[in-house]
Amino acid sequence: MKKVLLSEGSSLTSRETLNILKNDGYIIDILSSAKGPITLFSTKGRRIYRVTNLNEDPVKHLHEIDCILKHGYDFFLTTHENSWFFSAVKEKISEETNVVLAPVTAFDAVQGKVDFAKLLSKLEIPQPRWQEFNFGDEVNISFPLWVKINYSTAGTGVEKVASHHEFDKLIHKYEKLGEKILLQENIVGNYGQVEAVFNHGCMIGVHTSMQTFSGVGGSAAARISINCKETSRYIERIGKHLEWTGCLTLDFIYSVNGPVFIECNPRLVEPGNGAAAGVDFPQLMIDIASGKQFDRVITGRVGIKTHNMIAVILGSAQTGKRREVFKNFIKCIFHIGIFKDSIETMTPIKNDYFCIVAISAVLLKLLINPNSVNEFVNDALKNYVVEHQTVKQILSYNIDKYNAYNYY
């Protein structure tokens, strides 16, 4: 069987990718800087390698991974924000590694929220009114509005404010970060995502889903697949313009005027719904790395419902009510209400009994203290979020200095 190495094991994306690849027949090993990543609680991963946290020492992190890759992996699959990092250092890792990534210049055009807004304006793709805010500027967008830190993920660094008073309090906190700030008009409608995979700007597969249950930070803890030609057309325009290679994901609000795009995730994002609908993004990435040719754009079936139980109960905990946590846990277990005919994408107990450990641990902690949801989120984020300064730091190293490091 072919061997695949995943770039991290703490995100929901990595856990869903692990399930999909195992079902596709691969041997999967995982990199992790966390002691107990969510991928640990599964019978589907073969081995987890402990590596240095990327943001603590990016050069050492890169050396460790380069040595691991030389153990003979057929594919290296990046599963979260570290896609940006590995794009920046692609020429510094093993030449024998099959990895599918867009150039770092393409990442730079969409990784930051301000840069992405500028790109949408250039390509005439619908988005909310927006403003790049510098401290001391007048606010030119009516309230309520969204305040977003330029580099942030997983619903963090994104807050909705309803008044000048709330805005002034929040912006004082953000001023210390030294990051660009995006102000974005609030759009009324339903939240969704469109994900596509490209090979040098040519779209290979595309999938659109709508949120049916909200997780942490407004993320989609449950989804239903839809057919939307508009979202497919717009993401194809972006991928072609950037000559993108790999996965690209756009968040949108479907308003009365159609889809309005609010954010970009330049990477693979929770591929479970797509795989259930027939668009297997991890496999398509491997197919691209293998040189496979495609004669059509792959699209999925509509009406496919999926959910992620842990994401559901984490989202429920944000209400601060134990009753909500337990009620939605029961609904997931017995497929009640919106979870009727819905497929569990992250912790499928029937196929992976070790999932029970992770579910039980999260549920128990949330029932004792629903506010501990913030601990789960923060612990996960520090193990897969890539700080902008980390990418700048690694790019500043020259090859001679990089090769001079010897940790082994």
Side-chain angles (χ1 to χ4, degrees):
M1 287 193 292
K2 298 285 188 179
K3 292 169 60 181
V4 179
L5 182 66
L6 301 186
S7 65
E8 55 81 34
S10 295
S11 69
L12 305 184
T13 295
S14 65
R15 188 62 175 80
E16 290 192 1
T17 300
L18 172 65
N19 292 339
I20 293 166
L21 289 176
K22 189 64 177 181
N23 292 338
D24 289 342
Y26 292 95
I27 296 171
I28 308 109
D29 291 344
I30 303 155
L31 302 168
S32 178
S33 59
K35 293 180 180 179
I38 197 164
T39 46
L40 175 65
F41 303 100
S42 172
T43 59
K44 297 186 176 184
R46 185 183 66 164
R47 178 185 299 134
I48 293 181
Y49 292 103
R50 283 293 306 278
V51 292
T52 301
N53 186 288
L54 172 58
N55 293 306
E56 293 175 1
D57 191 336
V59 179
K60 185 175 181 180
H61 179 85
L62 185 57
H63 266 276
E64 292 170 347
I65 292 174
D66 198 22
C67 290
I68 292 168
L69 285 168
K70 290 173 182 175
H71 291 176
Y73 289 93
D74 297 286
F75 305 101
F76 180 44
L77 203 59
T78 60
T79 54
H80 214 275
E81 277 207 344
N82 50 25
S83 299
W84 183 25
F85 171 79
F86 285 109
S87 174
V89 301
K90 189 176 179 181
E91 74 281 3
K92 295 182 175 69
I93 60 179
S94 175
E95 295 181 358
E96 299 177 359
T97 300
N98 285 315
V99 58
V100 175
L101 288 168
V104 71
T105 51
F107 272 88
D108 288 342
V110 292
Q111 186 75 31
K113 291 176 172 56
V114 173
D115 291 320
F116 178 61
K118 291 178 180 178
L119 178 66
L120 292 183
S121 294
K122 178 179 179 179
L123 298 181
E124 298 182 340
I125 292 174
Q127 65 175 317
R129 288 185 59 215
W130 65 278
Q131 174 187 352
E132 181 179 353
F133 182 80
N134 296 304
F135 299 100
D137 287 353
E138 291 290 328
V139 177
N140 297 323
I141 299 172
S142 59
F143 291 93
L145 58 80
W146 292 89
V147 182
K148 300 184 176 184
I149 298 174
N150 196 36
Y151 295 106
S152 59
T153 191
T156 62
V158 175
E159 296 194 46
K160 186 178 181 180
V161 295
S163 65
H164 276 288
H165 177 69
E166 289 183 17
F167 176 80
D168 290 341
K169 287 177 61 178
L170 179 63
I171 213 69
H172 179 71
K173 181 178 71 174
Y174 283 172
E175 188 172 7
K176 301 174 184 178
L177 300 177
E179 284 273 14
K180 291 181 181 179
I181 300 294
L182 176 73
L183 306 186
Q184 195 175 72
E185 177 188 15
N186 181 59
I187 300 295
V188 177
N190 297 318
Y191 169 72
Q193 281 189 329
V194 56
E195 184 163 9
V197 62
F198 297 87
N199 188 10
H200 299 290
C202 178
M203 191 165 74
I204 304 303
V206 63
H207 177 72
T208 302
S209 64
M210 299 298 298
Q211 179 193 71
T212 57
F213 191 92
S214 179
V216 173
S219 60
R223 310 166 184 259
I224 185 168
S225 62
I226 66 168
N227 178 28
C228 184
K229 293 181 180 179
E230 293 172 290
T231 56
S232 298
R233 182 172 70 250
Y234 287 130
I235 198 170
E236 184 174 21
R237 185 184 301 178
I238 293 173
K240 184 177 181 179
H241 173 78
L242 297 174
E243 297 185 357
W244 195 265
T245 295
C247 280
L248 186 67
T249 307
L250 307 181
D251 294 1
F252 63 88
I253 302 296
Y254 203 95
S255 70
V256 292
N257 298 315
V260 179
F261 294 88
I262 56 173
E263 287 198 22
C264 176
N265 294 293
R267 53 179 174 81
L268 180 68
V269 174
E270 298 174 28
N273 187 267
V279 188
D280 187 337
F281 285 109
Q283 181 60 58
L284 289 173
M285 300 245 312
I286 289 173
D287 289 341
I288 291 170
S290 303
K292 181 177 177 179
Q293 299 299 308
F294 299 85
D295 56 8
R296 64 182 181 89
V297 177
I298 298 170
T299 58
R301 301 183 302 278
V302 301
I304 303 301
K305 297 166 64 177
T306 61
H307 65 276
N308 178 326
M309 185 189 303
I310 288 180
V312 167
I313 60 176
L314 287 172
S316 302
Q318 290 195 311
T319 65
K321 299 177 180 178
R322 296 180 180 86
R323 181 177 66 255
E324 287 297 309
V325 174
F326 189 71
K327 179 181 72 175
N328 288 314
F329 166 71
I330 294 298
K331 285 183 176 181
C332 286
I333 286 287
F334 294 102
H335 297 268
I336 298 170
I338 63 169
F339 304 110
K340 182 181 179 181
D341 301 322
S342 181
I343 302 166
E344 166 63 48
T345 56
M346 197 178 85
T347 51
I349 298 173
K350 290 182 180 179
N351 300 325
D352 189 355
Y353 63 88
F354 203 17
C355 294
I356 296 173
V357 177
I359 295 169
S360 300
V362 174
L363 180 64
L364 181 60
K365 188 164 186 176
L366 293 177
L367 289 176
I368 293 172
N369 178 16
N371 292 327
S372 63
V373 61
N374 297 320
E375 295 177 28
F376 284 109
V377 174
N378 293 334
D379 286 346
L381 287 178
K382 70 182 181 182
N383 290 299
Y384 62 72
V385 168
V386 181
E387 297 173 2
H388 186 220
Q389 295 302 319
T390 299
V391 178
K392 290 175 66 176
Q393 182 181 351
I394 197 69
L395 287 172
S396 70
Y397 286 102
N398 60 47
I399 286 291
D400 291 336
K401 183 175 181 180
Y402 171 78
N403 289 335
Y405 276 78
N406 182 12
Y407 293 97
Y408 305 98

